[in-house]
Amino acid sequence: MPPREDPNGGASPSEPAPPQPAKAKGKKKDENKDDDLSEEDQALKEQLELYVVRAQDPDPGVQKLALESMRQEIRSATSSMTSVPKPLKFLRPHYGTLKAYFETMPESELKKYMADILSVLALTMSAEGERESLKYRMIGSEGDIGSWGHEYVRNLAGEIAQEFQKRQDDGMTTDSLKELVEQIVSFHMKHNAEPEAVDLLMEVEKLDLLVKHVDSTNYKRTCLYLTSSSKYLPAPDDMLALKIAFEIYMKFGDFANALRIALLLDDKSLELKQIFTATDDFHLKKQFAFIIARHGLSTDIDDDIAADENEKEALQDIISNIKLSEGYLTLARDIEVMEPKSPEDIYKVHLIDGRGATSSSLDSARQNLAATFVNAFVNAGFGQDKLMTAPSDSSGSGSSGNWLFKNKEHGKASAAASLGMILLWDSDSGLAQLDKYLHSNDIHVVAGALLGIGIVSCGVKSDCDPAFALISEYFSRDESIIRIGAILGLGIAYAGSQKEVRENLTAFLSDSQVPLEVLVFAAISLGLVFVGSCNEEIAQTIICVLMERSEPELAEPIIRLLPVALGLLYLGKQESVEATAEVSKTFDEKIRNYCDVTLMSLAYAGTGNVLKVQKLLGICSEHLEKGETHQGPAVLGISLISMAEELGAEMAVRSLERLLQYGEQNIRRAVPLALGLLCISNPKVNVMDTMSRLSHDADAEVSMAAIISLGLIGAGTNNARIAGMLRNLSSYYYKEAGHLFCVRIAQGLVHLGKGLLTLSPYHSDRFLLSPIALAGLVTVLHACLDMKSIILGKYHYMLYILALAMQPRMLLTVDEDLKPLSVPVRVGQAVDIVGQAGRPKTITGFQTHSTPVLLAAGERAELATEKYLPLTPVLEGFVILRNNPEYHED
């Protein structure tokens, strides 16, 4: 009797023997089964049994014929997906007999023939973990494995992986498997099973063999699988997978995709130059420049990239983001939102019933300050508004001078700087309009103007460096506020550029006379300019500053930004931070843990590293004495690390909800901010509801953080539901100045750039993370951990650091001369198509619009016309279209 069948079609050796009666039942059933066979099945069964007897015949001729016939039967047998093919089923009882006979056969061609057949029979018969199919395959003839069918090849691949692991553990050589691996990989690649080929090569650590097996029909699917799986692979395999994908893209001339991977790897050896020099197509180079500019990488165009001076200048202009303002305004005109908006248009007081309207008597300076920020956020980048740029000859009340002086002291600084936000990215007219404030007698106005100069130049670079020239004159001034304006302005203007401003800023850090606040901002600016650079010298300087602080200084709330500045140097750089983290363990115990947690969470930001998330969750579960503050950054760290991919983000949201229920107060205060970072500019309903609940929390810090986070998750979306919530909150908190200020800031954020901007640091289909944008967000969120003393204190201008993360969420199609070109596109929810068969649709539930269009979080666009070909696979930001030579109008 054949062994008991388990549902997987193999014999199951691990099961205990059933009691006797069951066996008898089985026997009866089997006899009946024999009777139930149709005539042809019965004939086939007898035929095969005859072959088995003949295969053991002493005469080699008879043997050969029997084996040939058996082989034919097995190969020609087709079966449904779920059941074992008939010949294999009927040969199962004889597997043992044939195995025993095989051992007695002399070495010959026939023995190899027999081995092939045993290898196939082992597919259904072999005991778990025996790897017999592979064993006989290695002895058998070198024939083509594919002819035995897919299931056989897949089974072999699985056994190879196990065998490889075992041989590695035992220290044996694995070379003998290589040939078989090559055969299987080429079989999989020819039969649209790219993921299986990649998996096998990863198992046997030979991923580099992939490059030669890929062809032009399947390289895109293969690379898509490689890049998507890299998020879940442990280091260093993740980097290897991306490098192989890069090689494959370069091999098939898909340079735009290769560029995206090079930016993701951020590896100096994968020079961007080699992508530029691989093509002579100038328009393609312009498209590369747009992708690099969106990522915020400062790159110098040299003669190797473009020999012609005009071409060089054109590319440098694009990389310097000089076209950004113009493109953004094209979008605004097309959507018809050029009309400036006033804060009142955003507050919509008339929609609130009752007491909201009466609250104006509270604290007019603070209300005006809030209106300044709302005005700056809503009109960001439009170049005109109703408070700061309104023409001064009208009745006098709307003029910018008057609005400035409706603010008190440091409020004036924010008011002057708001002009920079309104003229964002338009450095020429921005610097001209800010210049008049530099000559003011009021130190706060001068400081604000310096900060404004930085904001205007944010992300936009220029050959003559006007921002640096204007700002650097003010470093030597005595007033703290002017120095801070200059320092922060410089940090925002040159974020991520690693420009030579180090001496200017480190001078403040090494000077013992400098006040603490100036020190902190100098460190933050260094962190922003050298973000992710792992610059040891700067790290040393900041460490020294931290070590030299006295007890009372370490108790100051603003000191918490020093570890952030240190962490920014290692943003996303993983292990590189370890030496610095060791040093931080020697700090004063007041700041030691805070520094440790902050460094770790920033170094692993956006990597999705599960072990680090577990470590941070562990820190959050401790019960601490009063005065320990490092759990806040740990909570932020959880969302920083797990924002890398959708699955991790959803799990993080659930973990954070647990922390809300069981965590201490200082943890609960950070949770809304962490949720805000996870869903930034992406208002998910479940997170929105949590925030709505927390915004009425009994703890003032929790509710303020929740209100700000409502603004963050709705940033630039004009989300009506959030706008409604905030209006209700403004009447609920009409007596609480601090809460009301937070509500106003959130209202400004939700209507950021009248709904045309996003704060999300991810772009290019959520594939690339812009370090500069993330640096801006992290700095502001850490400042929000102590809302009362920093944002509601006198450092509210830190909110302008968000300018680093502001980007138009647009798709603007242009022709080869960079003139806007309106074409129909389909915009819909992006669908994950990794490893799916055929050519699945990449978007669902789409609508067709003509460009320029807005893309919300999780949306993707594709061209709805065959007339043009895009020069980049991901339609986002500026996309150059070229005429399709094969297109013929019907």
Side-chain angles (χ1 to χ4, degrees):
M1 170 205 155
R4 280 179 67 235
E5 288 184 32
D6 73 356
N8 304 333
S12 53
S14 56
E15 290 184 18
Q20 244 7 67
K23 210 164 193 176
K25 254 190 224 161
K27 213 165 208 158
K28 233 187 198 130
K29 217 173 178 174
D30 256 29
E31 282 161 18
N32 294 348
K33 219 157 74 182
D34 274 5
D35 303 342
D36 294 346
L37 292 178
S38 63
E39 282 181 16
E40 52 193 73
D41 285 1
Q42 189 64 38
L44 177 64
K45 185 172 184 207
E46 285 164 6
Q47 185 83 36
L48 287 166
E49 283 169 353
L50 181 65
Y51 290 152
V52 173
V53 178
R54 289 283 174 80
Q56 301 171 36
D57 197 286
D59 177 2
V62 178
Q63 256 189 357
K64 184 162 189 190
L65 195 64
L67 289 171
E68 275 288 345
S69 317
M70 225 189 292
R71 184 175 184 146
Q72 276 319 110
E73 285 293 349
I74 293 174
R75 284 196 171 178
S76 58
T78 54
S79 69
S80 71
M81 286 297 284
T82 49
S83 61
V84 179
K86 290 255 164 56
L88 288 185
K89 193 169 169 187
F90 295 143
L91 284 170
R92 286 175 70 163
H94 307 291
Y95 179 60
T97 333
L98 290 174
K99 233 163 78 170
Y101 179 68
F102 172 78
E103 298 303 333
T104 64
M105 288 173 75
E107 285 301 328
S108 65
E109 277 305 304
L110 280 180
K111 184 161 183 174
K112 288 190 170 180
Y113 239 67
M114 182 66 118
D116 288 353
I117 287 174
L118 281 172
S119 174
V120 179
L121 288 180
L123 179 64
T124 60
M125 284 298 299
S126 161
E128 192 71 27
E130 285 291 307
R131 298 191 290 284
E132 288 184 343
S133 189
L134 177 63
K135 175 177 126 187
Y136 290 121
R137 175 77 252 165
M138 303 292 277
I139 305 170
S141 51
E142 300 288 308
D144 164 32
I145 51 167
S147 56
W148 295 102
H150 261 271
E151 200 44 54
Y152 174 63
V153 178
R154 287 180 56 175
N155 184 52
L156 260 187
E159 293 192 358
I160 286 182
Q162 292 170 7
E163 178 72 18
F164 181 82
Q165 199 53 51
K166 186 167 181 327
R167 286 191 186 185
Q168 262 204 327
D169 297 345
D170 301 347
M172 292 154 63
T173 162
T174 54
D175 297 346
S176 53
L177 297 173
K178 189 174 170 190
E179 197 165 313
L180 201 51
V181 170
E182 293 246 1
Q183 281 186 29
I184 295 178
V185 169
S186 94
F187 175 80
H188 278 326
M189 293 307 276
K190 289 190 183 74
H191 293 85
N192 296 337
E194 299 88 358
E196 290 176 24
V198 174
D199 286 345
L200 176 61
L201 287 172
M202 281 181 188
E203 291 280 1
V204 300
E205 299 174 9
K206 293 263 188 296
L207 203 52
D208 42 349
L209 295 178
L210 193 60
V211 182
K212 65 180 184 200
H213 287 289
V214 183
D215 62 27
S216 56
T217 57
N218 58 21
Y219 80 90
K220 282 194 169 144
R221 293 165 47 113
T222 310
C223 290
L224 186 62
Y225 184 71
L226 280 170
T227 50
S228 311
S229 58
S230 72
K231 290 181 188 147
Y232 301 102
L233 290 171
D237 299 354
D238 52 348
M239 292 303 164
L240 179 69
L242 289 169
K243 281 180 180 149
I244 300 290
F246 176 80
E247 277 178 46
I248 295 174
Y249 278 137
M250 289 302 279
K251 177 178 167 184
F252 291 100
D254 191 342
F255 300 125
N257 268 319
L259 175 67
R260 291 171 64 215
I261 292 185
L263 289 173
L264 179 68
L265 281 167
D266 189 21
D267 182 356
K268 297 287 175 280
S269 64
L270 283 180
E271 275 295 329
L272 299 179
K273 195 181 288 181
Q274 76 181 79
I275 301 176
F276 274 105
T277 47
T279 172
D280 293 329
D281 182 341
F282 175 54
H283 300 299
L284 198 53
K285 289 182 182 175
K286 285 196 285 199
Q287 182 65 67
F288 297 162
F290 277 125
I291 296 175
I292 292 173
R294 170 67 183 88
H295 193 56
L297 196 68
S298 29
T299 312
D300 287 324
I301 300 293
D302 54 21
D303 296 341
D304 302 343
I305 294 177
D308 182 54
E309 278 303 315
N310 296 343
E311 287 188 4
K312 209 156 132 184
E313 194 174 319
L315 291 177
Q316 195 64 62
D317 276 1
I318 295 175
I319 285 189
S320 306
N321 262 329
I322 291 181
K323 306 260 177 247
L324 186 58
S325 176
E326 187 186 320
Y328 177 58
L329 294 173
T330 307
L331 169 77
R333 282 188 205 96
D334 190 84
I335 300 179
E336 299 179 359
V337 289
M338 284 302 288
E339 181 67 26
K341 283 190 165 182
S342 67
E344 286 68 40
D345 300 338
I346 302 301
Y347 300 162
K348 298 200 169 127
V349 178
H350 59 277
L351 294 179
I352 308 169
D353 22 276
R355 52 193 183 176
T358 58
S359 63
S360 56
S361 58
L362 252 174
D363 170 1
S364 61
R366 166 143 293 180
Q367 294 221 342
N368 288 348
L369 179 62
T372 299
F373 279 107
V374 173
N375 183 53
F377 286 145
V378 173
N379 297 303
F382 284 90
Q384 49 183 10
D385 70 323
K386 291 185 175 171
L387 299 183
M388 296 297 296
T389 59
S392 46
D393 47 34
S394 63
S395 72
S397 64
S399 77
S400 61
N402 287 359
W403 180 256
L404 250 184
F405 297 107
K406 284 184 180 168
N407 289 284
K408 286 186 187 154
E409 302 179 357
H410 42 79
K412 290 182 205 159
S414 277
S418 74
L419 189 56
M421 182 71 92
I422 292 158
L423 297 159
L424 191 63
W425 306 317
D426 182 1
S427 49
D428 297 348
S429 74
L431 296 177
Q433 293 197 42
L434 281 160
D435 191 55
K436 59 174 186 275
Y437 295 131
L438 286 175
H439 307 300
S440 159
N441 299 330
D442 188 318
I443 54 171
H444 296 288
V445 177
V446 176
L450 290 168
L451 180 54
I453 289 171
I455 298 169
V456 156
S457 332
C458 162
V460 182
K461 302 170 191 63
S462 158
D463 304 339
C464 51
D465 269 345
F468 183 67
L470 283 167
I471 291 174
S472 52
E473 297 173 21
Y474 290 86
F475 279 153
S476 50
R477 292 284 288 264
D478 299 338
E479 299 87 354
S480 243
I481 181 85
I482 291 189
R483 285 188 186 178
I484 291 178
I487 290 169
L488 202 52
L490 198 66
I492 294 176
Y494 294 104
S497 64
Q498 303 189 18
K499 188 180 157 44
E500 277 312 306
V501 292
R502 199 166 75 211
E503 287 78 36
N504 310 59
L505 292 173
T506 40
F508 290 108
L509 294 180
S510 41
D511 183 348
S512 54
Q513 304 300 301
V514 173
L516 180 66
E517 49 179 8
V518 177
L519 265 181
V520 171
F521 281 108
I524 284 286
S525 284
L526 276 169
L528 292 174
V529 176
F530 291 90
V531 62
S533 65
C534 302
N535 188 311
E536 291 298 323
E537 293 174 31
I538 298 176
Q540 269 326 111
T541 321
I542 298 179
I543 288 172
C544 292
V545 171
L546 273 163
M547 286 180 162
E548 288 162 5
R549 298 282 65 89
S550 61
E551 280 284 319
E553 282 184 315
L554 286 173
E556 288 285 320
I558 194 158
I559 198 89
R560 67 173 59 228
L561 294 172
L562 277 175
V564 180
L566 191 54
L568 288 176
L569 297 173
Y570 297 97
L571 190 69
K573 288 288 175 275
Q574 307 194 29
E575 293 82 42
S576 319
V577 79
E578 279 166 8
T580 310
E582 279 305 311
V583 179
S584 76
K585 292 192 169 72
T586 62
F587 291 169
D588 186 298
E589 75 259 15
K590 270 194 176 156
I591 200 151
R592 181 188 310 153
N593 291 343
Y594 195 97
C595 201
D596 199 36
V597 173
T598 307
L599 283 176
M600 180 171 81
S601 62
L602 287 178
Y604 287 89
T607 58
N609 187 314
V610 193
L611 300 174
K612 299 294 175 205
V613 175
Q614 286 171 344
K615 193 168 170 189
L616 290 170
L617 280 168
I619 292 173
C620 295
S621 63
E622 297 163 9
H623 288 281
L624 302 173
E625 282 75 66
K626 283 270 169 274
E628 279 282 8
T629 51
H630 65 274
Q631 285 178 321
V635 177
L636 277 182
I638 294 171
S639 62
L640 264 177
I641 296 173
S642 47
M643 66 197 286
E645 34 85 34
E646 298 291 318
L647 200 69
E650 288 200 5
M651 286 163 67
V653 169
R654 288 171 54 179
S655 306
L656 290 168
E657 306 230 313
R658 290 284 160 286
L659 290 178
L660 271 180
Q661 289 164 344
Y662 304 116
E664 310 265 316
Q665 210 50 356
N666 55 357
I667 292 182
R668 296 191 59 219
R669 289 172 182 173
V671 169
L673 296 170
L675 285 169
L677 178 63
L678 267 181
C679 304
I680 194 144
S681 292
N682 180 10
K684 290 187 176 162
V685 178
N686 56 339
V687 177
M688 216 188 302
D689 291 342
T690 307
M691 296 293 185
S692 171
R693 194 175 75 239
L694 292 177
S695 59
H696 296 82
D697 197 90
D699 184 87
E701 295 270 339
V702 175
S703 50
M704 281 197 250
I707 294 169
I708 290 281
S709 295
L710 271 175
L712 291 173
I713 62 174
T717 58
N718 282 349
N719 185 294
R721 188 164 165 216
I722 295 183
M725 282 180 193
L726 291 169
R727 277 200 299 276
N728 295 339
L729 285 166
S730 72
S731 73
Y732 180 76
Y733 285 121
Y734 77 113
K735 281 194 172 140
E736 307 278 337
H739 282 83
L740 196 58
F741 183 76
C742 289
V743 172
R744 297 305 186 213
I745 297 292
Q747 284 178 309
L749 285 172
V750 169
H751 299 280
L752 189 66
K754 298 176 199 160
L756 307 189
L757 294 172
T758 175
L759 288 181
S760 172
Y762 278 95
H763 60 102
S764 190
D765 237 355
R766 257 197 79 83
F767 184 66
L768 292 173
L769 171 68
S770 163
I772 299 169
L774 188 59
L777 292 172
V778 172
T779 311
V780 175
L781 285 170
H782 270 273
C784 290
L785 282 174
D786 192 342
M787 200 80 82
K788 286 203 166 96
S789 26
I790 299 182
I791 302 293
L792 299 178
K794 55 179 189 180
Y795 305 114
H796 39 76
Y797 41 77
M798 281 194 71
L799 287 168
Y800 287 126
I801 298 181
L802 287 174
L804 296 175
M806 289 181 194
Q807 286 288 348
R809 53 188 188 97
M810 62 175 182
L811 159 60
L812 182 68
T813 44
V814 293
D815 60 15
E816 296 189 329
D817 302 325
L818 307 187
K819 298 275 174 290
L821 180 66
S822 188
V823 295
V825 288
R826 291 189 280 267
V827 179
Q829 277 298 309
V831 182
D832 186 16
I833 56 162
V834 182
Q836 288 189 11
R839 293 206 183 141
K841 294 264 185 292
T842 53
I843 56 176
T844 174
F846 58 81
Q847 292 176 317
T848 308
H849 302 285
S850 41
T851 56
V853 293
L854 287 179
L855 297 174
E859 286 188 337
R860 191 182 283 168
E862 54 182 43
L863 285 188
T865 164
E866 304 272 300
K867 191 172 173 187
Y868 299 101
L869 297 174
L871 296 188
T872 160
V874 180
L875 301 190
E876 264 177 46
F878 289 87
V879 175
I880 302 176
L881 300 180
R882 97 171 6 151
N883 285 318
N884 184 352
E886 294 163 19
Y887 175 78
H888 302 295
E889 300 228 0
D890 297 342

